[in-house]
Amino acid sequence: MSNTLNTTPRQDGFRMPGEHEPQQAVLMAWPERADNWRENAAPAQAAFAAVARAIAVATPVIVCASGEQMEKARTMLPATVELLKIPSNDSWMRDIGPSYLVDDAGQRRGVDWQFNAWGGAVNGLYADWSLDDALAGELLSLRGEDRYRAPLVLEGGSIHVDGEGTCITTAECLMHPGRNPGLDASRIEGLLSDYLGVDRVIWLPRGLCNDETDGHVDNILHIAGPAEVLLTWCDNPEDPVYTICRECLDTLEQQRDARGRAFTVHKLPLPGPLHVTAREAAGIQPSTSMVRTAGERLAASYANFLITNGRVVFPLLDPAHDHTARSILQAVFPDREVIGIDGREILLGGGNIHCITQQIPA
């Protein structure tokens, strides 16, 4: 059993570590939603299993699945992967799982954010998100880890932290009327400070175009380490991402991190543009909540990778740019093995490798 605490992490001396810090395990959730994942999620399940295998070589993997999917998940996942019977409405563990915190004594606790399917009544992707919202609390309880229930609608993909006091987010997402319409930027900054243990919040204006998460930061930028980031970059003036990434770079060049350091920015190529094919769209079960149409532009990004112990696992998205992305990642992470996994099926659901994972710090 775990306790739900009435204090804040900052009061108790807890902080969210950077993704580059040592990890105990990586969390995932098993996909099955037929109106998001084509062909009853079979191709997505194969992709999730491939990601789990790549991570499990370096870091233990824990996968949450519904009772109906436990047997199938067990047959497709490596034997070393731990399976937990916790259902969810969809499978974006970064957004529905807890954000883990540590203190100087090595204790670990989790933040359970409020979740409303990326926009609730304003522009949420589905009407019932009750299982998603409950997952973090159930997981923490099952693991016997204390829980902070934050008074903030927030998805884990909307924040990046460096573990040294800095948080990077986007105004497009956190200031969206579908999240916390009663809160202004300063109040949101205060809550991020209280619940992540950060001292400085840097607001990028926007995330990738056509990102149905309202511009999650993890789909355009990734923190590699203290004062070092990778930013999606587009050199085609006709592409809307051309302006977006320059706005982000301008912000980063004007800002300093929580310790006063200027940012080193590495540019990752923008894949594509990539679009949904007619065959892919035809394999998705029609619904009123999530509409997937042939020709729709996908929010594809190499920044949507996972740093884990000794490895970086990134999505292969575009043969024209995969090798360049790998080379850049290897140069930024010389002490880690860079592993590419076909990310197309995950991308079709609306995100990628970072979106479907959530690290538990060591």
Side-chain angles (χ1 to χ4, degrees):
M1 286 295 292
S2 64
N3 298 313
T4 298
L5 304 165
N6 295 319
T7 50
T8 68
R10 179 172 281 284
Q11 286 173 329
D12 298 337
F14 281 77
R15 67 174 179 98
M16 184 175 177
E19 198 174 309
H20 54 278
E21 297 184 53
Q23 297 171 15
Q24 183 201 61
V26 171
L27 297 167
M28 298 179 67
W30 191 248
E32 60 175 289
R33 193 180 181 107
D35 63 352
N36 191 39
W37 306 104
R38 70 190 185 105
E39 296 171 21
N40 288 312
Q45 289 170 350
F48 276 55
V51 171
R53 281 194 296 275
I55 297 167
V57 171
T59 309
V61 176
I62 301 165
V63 175
C64 297
S66 68
E68 294 77 16
Q69 289 287 326
M70 288 286 282
E71 189 175 341
K72 187 172 187 185
R74 184 70 284 164
T75 61
M76 294 183 70
L77 291 164
T80 55
V81 170
E82 181 184 356
L83 265 178
L84 298 179
K85 187 178 171 182
I86 304 177
S88 52
N89 299 105
D90 206 353
S91 45
W92 304 104
M93 183 57 82
R94 178 68 50 179
D95 292 349
I96 64 177
S99 295
Y100 273 95
L101 315 165
V102 297
D103 68 0
D104 291 342
Q107 294 184 91
R108 189 168 44 238
R109 293 175 181 175
V111 178
D112 177 5
W113 308 100
Q114 296 176 35
F115 179 81
N116 71 353
W118 307 275
V122 175
N123 67 330
L125 296 186
Y126 38 82
D128 180 8
W129 54 78
S130 55
L131 295 176
D132 284 343
D133 191 39
L135 181 138
E138 289 189 38
L139 181 70
L140 292 167
S141 179
L142 202 60
R143 287 173 52 85
E145 294 163 330
D146 288 342
R147 162 184 179 257
Y148 298 96
R149 176 63 167 172
L152 187 67
V153 175
L154 182 139
E155 307 95 35
S158 69
I159 53 169
H160 261 308
V161 299
D162 67 354
E164 296 188 0
T166 309
C167 174
I168 304 179
T169 187
T170 69
E172 179 186 1
C173 182
L174 262 59
M175 296 304 295
H176 193 280
R179 300 301 197 288
N180 302 283
L183 302 179
D184 61 14
S186 64
R187 180 67 181 129
I188 290 173
E189 284 189 20
L191 288 167
L192 293 175
S193 173
D194 287 342
Y195 284 87
L196 297 173
V198 297
D199 302 308
R200 186 167 182 77
V201 178
I202 293 171
W203 295 86
L204 303 182
R206 294 185 284 168
L208 278 192
C209 69
N210 214 34
D211 184 342
E212 61 191 11
T213 66
D214 304 312
H216 272 186
V217 72
D218 74 346
N219 212 29
I220 194 164
L221 173 142
H222 206 118
I223 291 181
E228 187 174 18
V229 302
L230 294 110
L231 176 67
T232 296
W233 195 255
C234 172
D235 281 319
N236 176 12
E238 304 300 313
D239 193 309
V241 179
Y242 179 90
T243 301
I244 291 169
C245 64
R246 281 160 178 78
E247 291 173 352
C248 290
L249 180 61
D250 186 50
T251 300
L252 291 165
E253 287 178 341
Q254 292 181 45
Q255 297 280 351
R256 296 293 181 266
D257 74 0
R259 300 197 180 184
R261 297 169 291 206
F263 287 97
T264 299
V265 180
H266 307 277
K267 296 173 181 175
L268 279 170
L270 178 73
L274 306 179
H275 300 84
V276 180
T277 67
R279 182 181 175 188
E280 288 164 344
I284 298 166
Q285 191 178 96
S287 75
T288 54
S289 52
M290 286 182 286
V291 180
R292 302 277 187 260
T293 55
E296 177 183 343
R297 180 168 178 173
L298 294 160
S301 170
Y302 292 113
N304 207 305
F305 63 85
L306 176 74
I307 308 169
T308 191
N309 300 325
R311 281 195 156 189
V312 169
V313 184
F314 84 105
L316 299 173
L317 295 167
D318 179 354
H321 296 295
D322 288 345
H323 179 73
T324 301
R326 182 194 297 273
S327 298
I328 293 166
L329 289 169
Q330 194 62 76
V332 173
F333 299 101
D335 300 327
R336 298 182 201 255
E337 187 180 11
V338 177
I339 306 295
I341 301 293
D342 190 339
R344 176 79 185 188
E345 293 299 334
I346 309 170
L347 174 62
L348 288 170
N352 229 292
I353 290 171
H354 195 257
C355 302
I356 66 169
T357 56
Q358 177 66 272
Q359 69 277 359
I360 302 176

